[in-house]
Amino acid sequence: MTYVAITEYETRLHWQRGCGALLSGDRAPAIPLAGQPSELEGQWNPETLLVGAVEGRTLSAFLEEARALDVEVLFYQSSAVARRVDGPDGLPHYTDLIVRPHVAVRGEREAMLVRRIFDALPERCFPSSMLRLTPRIEPIIDIWDEQHAAALEEDRLYGRSWRFMGERAAGREP
């Protein structure tokens, strides 16, 4: 029998009018999220989060391999950039996603091993190893009468937000 490890990651997104939203997860504090890079200064947007996820996954995969090869990493810092193009068909796609790690080790042997690790990472590391799928979207559509809409507007006016449990709104947080 083959052993397969399965890990689930879940986030929740709460729209906050306009183009803003609040992104939260089970093990991390919520962060404000903007719809587009130019909207809502000082907030993350999905495209930047994807670039950050690739950069973070590159670090994690590198450190795993370095530990396995007994390479002592003295310093690691990186930057990452992605170039998104909106094609003639209107569908956006990335043409480049570049991670630029800066690593320090003690000697030439370790430097050679680090080069080998980085040479192998693109095929084994996020997103190339993980994003070979098309998202499945399973919407829940509610029709709210005027009473529900008025209650939601009242909550918005008084700064109350909805708390999500599972797939459905479970009520207001105190």
Side-chain angles (χ1 to χ4, degrees), residues 84-95:
R84 180 186 132 166
V85 174
D86 293 335
D89 56 2
L91 297 176
H93 63 277
Y94 284 93
T95 59

Side-chain angles (χ1 to χ4, degrees), residues 47-48 50-52 54-55 78-84 94-101:
E47 293 80 3
T48 307
L50 176 63
V51 174
V54 171
E55 188 175 12
S78 66
S79 64
V81 63
R83 193 170 290 117
R84 180 186 132 166
Y94 284 93
T95 59
D96 293 297
L97 202 163
I98 304 164
V99 179
R100 295 184 177 105

Side-chain angles (χ1 to χ4, degrees), residues 116-168:
R116 286 186 191 164
I117 293 169
F118 283 124
D119 286 344
L121 277 185
E123 292 301 316
R124 300 185 61 240
C125 188
F126 180 84
S128 57
S129 69
M130 293 182 162
L131 290 183
R132 294 180 183 152
L133 66 110
T134 300
R136 185 173 68 217
I137 300 174
E138 300 174 342
I140 296 171
I141 311 296
D142 288 330
I143 298 174
W144 285 4
D145 58 22
E146 290 180 22
Q147 182 180 357
H148 285 97
L152 186 63
E153 182 63 21
E154 182 180 315
D155 287 344
R156 188 186 68 78
L157 288 173
Y158 292 104
R160 292 177 277 193
S161 63
W162 288 83
R163 159 175 55 101
F164 289 90
M165 296 182 71
E167 296 179 355
R168 304 293 295 213

Side-chain angles (χ1 to χ4, degrees), residues 30-107:
I31 60 171
L33 184 68
Q36 295 292 325
S38 61
E39 299 168 349
L40 303 177
E41 186 68 29
Q43 292 187 359
W44 290 90
N45 62 63
E47 293 80 3
T48 307
L49 288 171
L50 176 63
V51 174
V54 171
E55 188 175 12
R57 177 48 51 203
T58 300
L59 168 62
S60 297
F62 167 74
L63 291 175
E64 287 173 16
E65 291 296 315
R67 276 188 217 106
L69 295 172
D70 202 29
V71 172
E72 182 184 6
V73 178
L74 303 174
F75 174 85
Y76 185 106
Q77 181 175 302
S78 66
S79 64
V81 63
R83 193 170 290 117
R84 180 186 132 166
V85 174
D86 293 335
D89 56 2
L91 297 176
H93 63 277
Y94 284 93
T95 59
D96 293 297
L97 202 163
I98 304 164
V99 179
R100 295 184 177 105
H102 177 180
V103 179
V105 294
R106 290 205 185 275

